[in-house]
Amino acid sequence: MRVLVAGGGIAGTVTAMALKLAGHDPVVFEAYPAGGDDVGAFLTIMHNGMDALRAIGADRPVIDSSFAAHGVELVAPTGETLGRREFDTEGLDRPRTMTRATLYRVLQEEAARRGVPLARGKRLVSATPDAAGVTAEFADGTTETGDVLVGADGLHSVVRRLIDPAADEPRYTGLTVVYGYTRAGGLPSAPGIYRMVRGSKAAFGFTTDPEGATFWFARIPDPERPRAEIAAVTPAGWRGFAHAAFAGEPLPCAEIVAATGDEVFGGHSYDVPETRVWSTPRMVLAGDAAHAASPADAQGASMALEDGVILAQCLRDLPDPASAFAAYEGLRRERVEKLVASSAGQDVGEKPGWVYAHHIDWDTKITP
């Protein structure tokens, strides 16, 4: 079966790799001609995400390009350490941290090594299903035909709207998140852990990689602004915005922000609490297109990885796409909607322990 995958990010590339392993013929269409503009943005793939990668033998490239996180330390607005929790990793893969650009590159390179084609500069604008399959139309005027279309095209998914024109818009969480990366020396160090700071106005987290570089993020309450305005903010603008949220507090946050150069990126945080319709007989959603979560639980990437592997299993084991999509939704909806709700109400550092132990056995047969 020829599977068109809209989106060359985390969900799209892993779905394509899993589909290839399942015996299908996937092709990935990436909207951007090159990498995105999110310099400084980073993420952590949690235990369950690493488990999903291991299910299809794709964990090693990610491990080799990242560093491990061992736990979380909580710090009060006064600077007092409130506690430390080690991740329970018995029988689980340890969480890994890396830049978003590195993860995209590693996954795309691994997909190419496995023979999955990836076409860049192919922004999906429409798709027309019929009895034989689906024809995707791109902004450059080209078309492609396949048996099914996977919408792994992110928060502002075109495929979500094609499946359900009445689908709800993503919900603004009330937070702007700024990410930064600095190699400056002399900063407070948090090797192998995430130090999570509750400031009086905003939340901050940072960790230190094995080479001494500092990865940090700030979650700052902020009125929603137009997308064009957010897109126009420069690295200096994001740095100043984050610095102002912690200036004058007895915390290391402002110091870390001030030591950051242009490797800083920000944007509004949105979630998708519920997508009423996940599929049609020829189209289906995966990753943020179906269930974007706020970043509090650090599960967006990991849930997308789970989606891709389980969707491929369903298309491998069930007799037709509609049956496969129904089984996939049945396996995923309750879990991801619970995660989105948890993340929306989550205090920084709390542990969604029920999430981590999720395990995928690639050889398990999916039944209706």
Side-chain angles (χ1 to χ4, degrees):
M1 182 163 55
R2 188 167 196 251
V3 183
L4 311 180
V5 181
I10 298 165
T13 50
V14 170
T15 299
M17 282 192 277
L19 286 166
K20 185 79 171 181
L21 189 61
H24 294 299
D25 180 24
V27 56
V28 178
F29 299 95
E30 168 56 43
Y32 297 99
D37 58 358
D38 53 350
V39 175
F42 64 96
L43 50 77
T44 298
I45 299 179
M46 299 303 290
H47 318 63
N48 49 304
M50 293 304 300
D51 175 85
L53 286 170
R54 184 152 56 97
I56 61 169
D59 55 327
R60 177 48 56 184
V62 172
I63 292 171
D64 290 344
S65 302
S66 62
F67 60 96
H70 303 283
V72 172
E73 186 176 273
L74 303 181
V75 180
T78 60
E80 175 189 3
T81 298
L82 299 176
R84 175 169 171 151
R85 175 177 56 79
E86 296 290 326
F87 290 133
D88 179 7
T89 56
E90 184 177 353
L92 303 175
D93 297 274
R94 194 175 293 280
R96 309 294 301 191
T97 297
M98 72 220 77
T99 66
R100 184 174 291 274
T102 296
L103 180 58
Y104 282 13
R105 174 181 56 79
V106 166
L107 292 178
Q108 290 174 0
E109 288 176 353
E110 179 64 14
R113 189 188 69 80
R114 297 179 181 212
V116 176
L118 187 149
R120 298 186 183 277
K122 295 290 184 180
R123 183 178 296 278
L124 183 77
V125 294
S126 188
T128 305
D130 58 32
V134 60
T135 299
E137 304 168 30
F138 301 95
D140 62 3
T142 61
T143 62
E144 291 281 346
T145 300
D147 295 286
V148 295
L149 170 66
V150 177
D153 51 343
L155 180 70
H156 301 287
S157 170
V158 171
V159 181
R160 187 195 304 129
R161 283 289 183 190
L162 294 173
I163 288 174
D164 178 14
D168 292 338
E169 292 292 331
R171 179 181 66 179
Y172 181 49
T173 64
L175 297 171
T176 290
V177 183
V178 183
Y179 299 89
Y181 170 76
T182 177
R183 302 171 188 83
L187 296 175
S189 181
I193 66 166
Y194 270 93
R195 187 162 289 139
M196 314 298 282
V197 181
R198 293 186 176 96
S200 61
K201 295 183 289 185
F204 191 87
F206 68 101
T207 188
T208 307
D209 77 6
E211 284 72 50
T214 302
F215 290 71
W216 61 266
F217 68 88
R219 298 171 61 223
I220 305 167
D222 189 26
E224 187 174 16
R225 291 174 270 164
R227 289 175 66 183
E229 180 180 334
I230 290 292
V233 178
T234 63
W238 287 124
R239 189 171 56 247
F241 177 72
H243 188 274
F246 301 98
E249 296 195 343
L251 301 167
C253 314
E255 178 187 1
I256 293 171
V257 173
T260 303
D262 286 341
E263 291 179 302
V264 58
F265 172 81
H268 283 341
S269 171
Y270 292 85
D271 65 10
V272 178
E274 179 187 17
T275 299
R276 288 182 293 271
V277 186
W278 280 36
S279 67
T280 68
R282 294 292 176 180
M283 297 187 287
V284 66
L285 301 173
D288 281 358
H291 49 74
S294 80
D297 279 349
Q299 277 290 328
S302 296
M303 287 291 167
L305 295 170
E306 290 182 13
D307 278 0
V309 176
I310 292 172
L311 175 58
Q313 287 180 300
C314 292
L315 284 166
R316 177 194 66 189
D317 294 339
L318 295 172
D320 58 78
S323 299
F325 296 162
Y328 160 71
E329 181 178 346
L331 289 167
R332 300 299 297 157
R333 179 183 282 276
E334 181 179 1
R335 175 172 170 80
V336 297
E337 289 182 355
K338 182 178 179 182
L339 183 279
V340 173
S342 167
S343 198
Q346 191 81 23
D347 282 338
V348 173
E350 288 189 11
K351 179 185 179 184
W354 58 270
V355 176
Y356 297 158
H358 186 269
H359 175 62
I360 300 173
D361 181 351
W362 177 254
D363 295 326
T364 296
K365 184 176 178 60
I366 304 296
T367 56

